[in-house]
Structures are given as C-alpha cells and as structure tokens.
Amino acid sequence: MRTHGYLAFVVGIFITAWVCLFVMKEQDRQAAEAFQRDTEKIARDTQQRQKAYFDTLLSIKGLFAIDQEVTRLEFSRYVRELDVKRRYPGFQAIQFVRRVPSSALERYAEQIRHDDSLQSGGYPEYKIHPASVRDEHYLIEYNEPMRGNENAFGLDLAALPPHYRALQMGVETGRLIATERITLVQDASGQPGFVARAPIYRRGASLITPAERHDAIVGFVAIVFRVHDLMEEVIDSPLLQHLYVRINDAGYMNDEKPQPSGVDNLMFDSAGKVGSGPRLPALAGLTRTIAMDVGERRWLMQFEGHAGERYSRNATLILAIALSGFVISTLIAALITNLQRRRALAHALRGTLDEQRAFQDSAIVGIALIADGVIVRCNRGLEEMMGYPAGSLAGERTTSLVNEGVADPFQSGMEGSRAHFEAELRRIDGSRLWCMVNCKVLDKSDASKGCVWVISDISDRKRTEADLMDAKHGLERSLGELALQKNNVETAHKDLSAVLQTLQQAQATLITSEKMASLGALVAGIAHELNTPIGNSLLTATALNDMVADFERQLIEAGGVRRSTLDAHLRDAKLACSIIAGSLRRAADLINSFKQVAVDQTSDQRRSFNLCSVLHDTLATYAAQLRRANCEVKVDMPESVTCISYPGSVGQVLSNLINNAMLHAFEGRERGLITISIRELEGDMAELRFRDDGVGMSSKTLHQIYDPFFTTKMGQGGSGLGMNIVYNIVTGVLRGAINIESEPRCRHPDHNHVAASRGTGRSRCRVGRIIDPPLRIGPAAYAAWRHSTPTRRIPAGAYTAY
C-alpha cells in the first residue's frame, strides 16, 4: 500500500529536478541573448557615432573643395557654426594641416606670425616644433578651438613617425585615415586619443596615380578625438554595471599581421585603468570580440559579461521551485497512501451493507416500521425519497417527516388495522413531498410492535395538476403582457434609431479627422523633401555670391583680370548655376507631385488620370516616413494605365494602406518591404495588388478588420477607421470589391497572397479589394480598375521606389 506513495514521491522529485535544470538553462539562454543584444547595440552605436563624426570631417573637406584659400577667420566661423562641443561630444579639436616644402618654411612661419585676421596683433610667439630637417613639413595651421589646444599650434607632424605614416597613407589612397593610439599633446589628462584626417588636393589636378596625388596634396583637415569621451556618449552608464568593454587598436587594415591586444594599444577600458581595482570574472559563454573599421584601422571591441542582476541566474526562483516541488511531492505521496487505505475500508463496509439491505432496497416504494412515533427500520427507497443518507433515517421520530404545525399523520394508524390517505411530508432539505400512505398494524393485540407503512411518491401528479391551473392563469396574463411588450418594442426602436444617427455623425467626424491627419502627413513630407534641394541651392548661391564678390574685388584692385582667372571664375559660376538649376528642378518636381496629390484629395472630382502618376505622387508624399521606417517599396506596373474615376479616393486608399503597413506590419522588424503591382484583366479591367512582408494577423483580427472603431493600437496612433474608410471608398465611391488573406508570421519575412475579386458595373472605374494591415500583419490585396486605353507591361521588379 505504501509502494504507490513512495513511487509518487520519487517521480515528483525527478520532475522537480528536471524543472530546475530547465529553468537554469532557460535563464542562461536569456542571459546569452541579452548579452548579444547589448554588445551588438554598443558596436552599432559606436560605428554610427563615428560615421557621424567622420561626415563632419568630410563636410569641412567640402569647404576647402569650394575654396582652397579658406582664411583662418572663415575656418573659425565655420567650425563655430558646427557647434561641435554640444552636438558632437568627444571632439578635442578640429584642425587644418598644411603641407609646406622646406624651402618655404621660413616665409610660411613669418606669414603666420603676422596673420591678424582672427587675433589682433597676430601670433608673434609662433614657432614650428619640434625642429627637424626634412624635404617637406606638415604643420598644424588652423586649430579650433585654440583655447586648450595651444600646444598643437605649429606642431610639425612630419617629425612624428605615427602621424607621418598616417599622412603618407592618406596622400597615397585619398581616403580618410585614422592614426594609432596617441597621447594628445594638448590634453593634460593623459587619456588615449586618435586623429582622423582627410586629404585635400589641389583643385583640377590629376589624381590617378599615387605620385600625382603626392604632387597635388595641399594639406589635411583633421579631427582630434578623446576615446573615453566618445564612448561615454555611446554606452549607457547602467549597462556598464553588468559588462566590461575594452577597445584595442590592432593596426591598419592592410597590415599583414594584426597587433595583439595589450596595454600599448588599449584605446578604452570601461573598468578604468589596468590594475586600478578588482575586476569581476567573466561568466561562461559571455565573452565576445567584434572588429570595426575606423579610418582604415582595425579596432577590436572586447566584451565580458559578469555576475549581476542582468546576466546571472535567479537563484531565488530555482530554490523556490525546488522547495515547492519537494513539498508537493510529499503531499501527493501522503494523499495517495491515505486514499488507498480509505478505499479498502469502504469496500469492506459496502459489501456488508449490500448484503443486509438487499431485500429492502429492491422495493421502489418506501417501507418503514414505526412504533411509538419512532422509525425503527426502513429501506433505502424511503431514505432516497426523503433525501436521507443510507442508514441515517432509522431512529428518527416521525415528526421529522411532517411539516411544522401539522398533526402527525402516522399516529392515525393506531386507530384501526389499516389506513389509506394522502399526506404532504417534508424532506431533509426542507422541501415538501406529496405521498400516498398505506398502513397495516403488525399485531392488533400488542400495539407496541408498531405498524408497517408503505409510502409512494405522487408529487408528479400533484405538480401536473398545479401546472394545469398555472397554465390557465399564465395564458391570461400573457395576453396582457403581449400588448405591453409591443409598446416597449416600438419605444426601443425609436431609441435605437436615435443612437444610430448619433454614431453615424461620430463616424463622419472621425473620418474627417483621419483626412486632416493625412493632410498633416502631406505637409510634413513636403517640408522634409524640399529641405534638401532648397538648402543645396542656398548654399551654392551663397558660395557663388562670394566668388562674384571676390572676382569683383580682384577686378577693381588689379584694374583687370587674367584670362585664366576669368576662365576659372566662369567655370565655377557655370558649375554653381548647374547645381542650383538641378536642385530647384528637383524641388519643382516634388512640388508638382505634392500639388497634384493635394488637389486630388481635396477636390475629389471624377476625371481621367494616369494610375502610375497617382501611385508615384502618393509614394513621393510618404518618402520621408518610409525612409525613417527603413521600409522599401517596389512597384511593378505598366507604364501607362489611364482610368476615368476619382484619383483623390484612389490616393486616400493608398495612403491608408501605407500608413497601416508602417504602423502595424513591421513592429519588431528593422526593415520592411512593400510590393505594389498592377496587371490587366479581361473586360478592360486592371488588378492592383498591395503586399508586404509583415508579421501577419490572426483569424479573429482578420474577421473584424472592416469594423469601424476596431483597432489593436488604441492610444498608440490607431483610430480604428483606416480599413473602414478603405472599405467604404472601394465599395462605395469606386464601386468595386475588396478581399484579404493573411496569417500570423513568427517575425520572419514572408508574403501573404490574396485571391482575385472583380468589380461589377459597366463603364465606370472599378476597384477590387484593397487592404492594409491593422495589427502586425503582412497582407496582400488588389484592386481592379476599368481603363480606357490598352497598356504595355514592364518586367516584374523593373522599378523600385523609395
């Protein structure tokens, strides 16, 4: 009997141990995934931050590309406008390094000492350091900000081997080059740093071979970095409580053998200086090295995750699981042992009772022996009839079977040898029971022996008689209630009509708000798209104005200009005019596209239009949002599809589809793909298919997608009217049909497909089913238009938009 309990206890312990091991492995897996995400984020953020800084360096190079005779004042003003201290933390200085032949070194130094364009009185204390004898010198000429970087002013980089090697590589390759780990001469803190430089060549010179580039080199623009300040902006401080980050410089990318990691090439250590304090050991499996390309140099980012709240196991949870499993196993074992004992006893008792009461329980009526108002014995039938458990009715007084305040009918059996009557008895739960009672005295001479009573249940007959009477009265009441319900229904119909009208007004108001939101997105798109071409035009016009002023000054001072100067001025002016014309032409094209979209969505007039133009105008409106969402749009359609319909409604449908796709389809995805295709159908019809590789939707969401006010993004940008508006426009204004097919996806790119559906009608524009994903879905949809002219197809994938 105890064997089953022991077996249950052992099985419970094994299950508990398995659950603990599973939880430990799951915690280790989650810690490894969190460590990988953290390291990838730090490496990605570091790469992006350096790219932004290097883009700033290239913008300064562009300044010298426009005018290589940039003065110290102009350079200072340009750097000040960049506001690098606030916008780009980590910069130590921005410099211009000029190549000076040894023959012109003294004349150059004297010119710097008398340069008072930025500082009154010039720089009389200027000197070149360290002094060296060589054919060429690379001197730091412009140094912004000067405060705190005075030691770097006049520094000859050709005398410093690490810097000179980087300069030679920059001259030969023409690319941006970074130096190895250096200690900045202008930084007293001793923090590791490096310098990124971009070469500047003489304008118009041939740069095909390294020798030609060496002859054409003018100098370098450079940015000086402090690595510690740079990484403080990249790594979140709370994250450093759980992992160590080290960066080592492994040398140039073209070096045959990378440098081993050590103290000499250590660029950054999140734990502080080496040997500054105890370091927690790295957890098993939580080490990783990521290589990065930084200005033609190879940086190795080494990560170590250590014990802490983020990557360690939750010992409390594992202990709680083990303790709970032990307690549950013990209780189950005890319960099984006790249950086996109770079953054995119940089986023996059941056999004895069955043998004793077999003759009584065979009767379908209640039988009892009653003497002196006490039930001496009774069968199981009477106990069941009165609701008593087996054997509990024996020894009870007959008054327990009679309602309170009623005379005991079982006393009447003593008045004669037989009795027959109907009586209302009381069950153990208090309910009443109508019975037919028959009585016979066992021994007339000895009344103490009692009487045998036979009791049968006639409650069904009594209930049937009562139900007939209730039905008669209920029918009479129903006739009166029917008239009252009719009045209530009429009143409810009026109330529902009023509520429906209110809801329709609310829906119309929300649809208007949805259109105003689309107009706001259009305005934002116009502002963002026009900013770049107009800004380029303004910058070029400003540069052209400066060139004209300089040309005018030379003309007045010299009384004439040389032909080469005039040719250079005309060439620069022609280049600037072409840049301005191209930028303004791009702005004009964008304005025409936005203007057509705005006119179509506001006028909503039925007219002849080109479907390809409407699609491209709509995509141009959402170009900025699509770029920010990292979403690519591919278009596959004939070059010319002419429709006679409502272009504003078609644009509204496409806008809602694109908005819903960006809001719902690509949640948790770094990028997305939207495919829009159009093909011809029979009967002068065309099919438009809208498809994306989103995560799909459930069948429940698919069933409710057209319901007004239904959204899974309530309070997060969803109004619940996007697909309702699409459905109303397609089936109402465009008089077409709409369909959708989708299924949930486990965040893997895939396309959902939609079956074809055609609109009906004669010569009007027909729109088939068009759908937009309402919740993390990637549906496909299509629309069918009747068009008036034949079209020519283009290959699939031949056009990719945005």
Side-chain angles (χ1 to χ4, degrees), residues 692-711:
D692 64 61
D693 62 347
V695 296
M697 72 174 78
S698 65
S699 57
K700 179 180 178 182
T701 305
L702 191 65
H703 180 70
Q704 298 178 275
I705 191 170
Y706 300 126
D707 295 347
F709 310 109
F710 171 75
T711 179

Side-chain angles (χ1 to χ4, degrees), residues 28-60:
D28 292 342
R29 183 187 65 81
Q30 293 178 358
E33 291 180 353
F35 176 76
Q36 184 174 4
R37 287 195 303 270
D38 294 340
T39 56
E40 289 178 353
K41 179 180 182 302
I42 293 174
R44 183 172 60 253
D45 292 348
T46 302
Q47 196 78 33
Q48 292 176 353
R49 180 57 63 91
Q50 289 180 352
K51 182 179 181 301
Y53 289 177
F54 291 164
D55 288 344
T56 303
L57 181 61
L58 295 179
S59 71
I60 302 174

Side-chain angles (χ1 to χ4, degrees), residues 713-729:
K713 290 286 188 179
M714 184 62 67
Q716 304 178 31
S719 65
L721 286 175
M723 288 315 302
N724 182 256
I725 293 174
V726 170
Y727 180 83
N728 291 337
I729 292 176

Side-chain angles (χ1 to χ4, degrees), residues 500-513 709 721:
L500 178 60
Q501 183 179 4
T502 302
L503 287 177
Q504 291 175 346
Q505 294 175 354
Q507 183 176 358
T509 301
L510 288 177
I511 290 175
T512 302
S513 300
F709 310 109
L721 286 175

Side-chain angles (χ1 to χ4, degrees), residues 240-259:
L240 293 178
Q241 301 177 3
H242 307 284
L243 58 80
Y244 295 126
V245 182
R246 294 187 63 182
I247 301 177
N248 288 88
D249 184 1
Y252 287 103
M253 301 293 292
N254 56 3
D255 290 345
E256 294 181 358
K257 184 177 180 181
Q259 299 179 10

